[in-house]
Amino acid sequence: MALRGYYFVLLHALVFAALATSAFSKLSSHYYDYSCPKALSTIKTVVEAAVQKERRMGASLTRLHFHDCFVNGCDGSILLDSTSSIDSEKNSNANFQSARGFEVVDEIKQAVDEACGKPVVSCADILAVAARDSVVALGGPTWKVKLGRRDSTTASRAAADANIPAPFFSLSELITNFRNHGLDEKDLVVLSGGHSIGYASCVTFRAHIYNDSNIDSDFAKNLKYICPTAGGDSNLSPLDSTPAQFDKNYYSNLVQKKGLLHSDQELFNGGSTDDLVKEYSYDTDDFFEDFADSMIKMGNIQPLTGNQGEIRVNCRKVNQ
């Protein structure tokens, strides 16, 4: 009888420990409420100043979070510089000479660490909050960011090349890519609405404007002045007609066959995602609500929690 009681107590303790570990590892919007109550307001202040100085910075910070989450989960790996043992994701096809905002992340990290009195907030969480605050600063929706991510101690250029959706992807390739990250077709369409803000370089849309038929002819003609058949790879064009304002015009442009990237126009090209594009093209409220939900979902892709990873002192390098 005593032995049975012992095993019952032991089992109860093990279950409690498992639940405690699970709870400890779970992301929460209140994660820093006690350890650094000024964390979120500090991030917001720096982001708003950066976006006010340069509207394009909002799109850049949002893009960093997207590209970070699509490699090995939302772990801040995109921020690591190359070393003898790290092939930086900054050098991947999707990021090389186009990803921006790293200096703003450095500024946020310094300000947050000063507000907290020590490194408490992870670089991965900084990216997630900065993306939300950037969207809000550009007129978009807000949402409660789940927090508690920790930072990776490695990065992979090869993984970035393999996992970040390419601008030449077909609809089926896009759907497969998103499904591989636990995201569905609705997430694909609504998160692509992140292209409501920002710019793309000529090299990413040249093939679309010269080779594709599902593009408005006048739109393509005007883009050819920016993006010739040879040269001008880094010349920029806005991703939609209002690149400094987070709105539904991205979808309206797709309906008019004015998607800048091949992968953009694939969302409205006679396929399974057409109806949702149409809906968002005239319903801002639905787009904003769904975008917020999908951003929360994307932010939960394979985060490092608990004792995994680290809290970096410098977002550009692993701790020594």
Side-chain angles (χ1 to χ4, degrees):
M1 189 73 177
L3 185 61
R4 174 192 256 175
Y6 168 79
Y7 281 122
F8 176 81
V9 171
L10 178 61
L11 178 61
H12 185 76
L14 290 173
V15 170
F16 179 82
L19 290 173
T21 300
S22 175
F24 179 70
S25 300
K26 189 176 181 180
L27 300 183
S28 167
S29 58
H30 300 288
Y31 190 82
Y32 298 110
D33 283 3
Y34 297 102
S35 59
C36 187
K38 294 182 179 179
L40 299 189
S41 61
T42 302
I43 295 173
K44 181 180 180 181
T45 297
V46 179
V47 169
E48 287 180 340
V51 173
Q52 184 175 12
K53 182 178 180 181
E54 182 187 0
R55 300 284 284 181
R56 282 172 51 192
M57 187 53 64
S60 298
L61 292 170
T62 305
R63 181 185 180 192
L64 286 181
H65 181 47
F66 272 76
H67 285 195
D68 182 48
C69 291
F70 267 73
V71 181
N72 285 311
C74 310
D75 61 2
S77 59
I78 192 173
L79 302 173
L80 290 172
D81 290 336
S82 290
T83 66
S84 58
S85 60
I86 293 176
D87 192 1
S88 177
E89 293 165 22
K90 297 176 182 180
N91 297 324
S92 67
N93 293 329
N95 295 322
F96 184 64
Q97 294 184 338
S98 61
R100 303 170 63 246
F102 300 108
E103 294 79 9
V104 176
V105 174
D106 293 340
E107 186 180 349
I108 295 171
K109 177 63 172 171
Q110 181 179 353
V112 169
D113 285 355
E114 289 177 359
C116 300
K118 60 181 179 178
V120 172
V121 181
S122 69
C123 301
D125 276 349
I126 285 174
L127 285 180
V129 177
R132 188 270 311 276
D133 291 346
S134 294
V135 168
V136 172
L138 294 174
T142 188
W143 59 92
K144 289 186 177 181
V145 180
K146 300 294 182 67
L147 302 165
R149 301 168 191 79
R150 289 170 65 84
D151 298 321
S152 70
T153 56
T154 187
S156 173
R157 174 182 176 180
D161 284 336
N163 287 286
I164 297 174
F168 52 78
F169 270 11
S170 66
L171 178 60
S172 62
E173 289 173 316
L174 290 168
I175 291 172
T176 297
N177 179 282
F178 272 64
R179 282 179 177 167
N180 289 341
H181 294 92
L183 303 171
D184 58 27
E185 281 189 36
K186 183 176 182 179
D187 296 314
L188 163 62
V189 176
V190 72
L191 290 174
S192 294
H195 285 178
S196 167
I197 51 178
Y199 293 75
S201 57
C202 164
V203 69
T204 64
F205 61 83
R206 178 182 285 121
H208 179 47
I209 65 175
Y210 285 99
N211 301 332
D212 291 346
S213 59
N214 60 340
I215 183 171
D216 179 86
S217 58
D218 290 335
F219 180 64
K221 180 180 179 180
N222 290 332
L223 286 170
K224 289 174 183 178
Y225 292 110
I226 300 171
C227 185
T229 55
D233 285 1
S234 60
N235 293 350
L236 297 176
S237 180
L239 283 160
D240 84 347
S241 54
T242 52
Q245 183 72 24
F246 194 95
D247 54 29
K248 63 180 178 60
N249 285 349
Y250 167 77
Y251 300 104
S252 301
N253 293 163
L254 295 185
V255 172
Q256 298 164 6
K257 295 187 177 181
K258 294 181 180 180
L260 182 64
L261 307 179
H262 173 87
S263 56
D264 285 334
Q265 196 59 57
E266 280 290 285
L267 300 179
F268 190 80
N269 193 34
S272 59
T273 54
D274 280 16
D275 288 344
L276 199 52
V277 169
K278 283 183 181 178
E279 177 186 341
Y280 292 149
S281 73
Y282 61 76
D283 197 325
T284 297
D285 290 341
D286 276 2
F287 167 44
F288 278 18
E289 181 179 348
D290 291 346
F291 186 83
D293 290 342
S294 289
M295 285 297 289
I296 293 171
K297 187 175 178 181
M298 185 188 75
N300 283 329
I301 297 177
Q302 296 180 316
L304 300 176
T305 59
N307 293 321
Q308 299 172 314
E310 63 183 15
I311 304 298
R312 287 188 213 133
V313 175
N314 182 334
C315 288
R316 294 174 180 263
K317 60 184 181 181
V318 299
N319 296 341
Q320 301 299 316

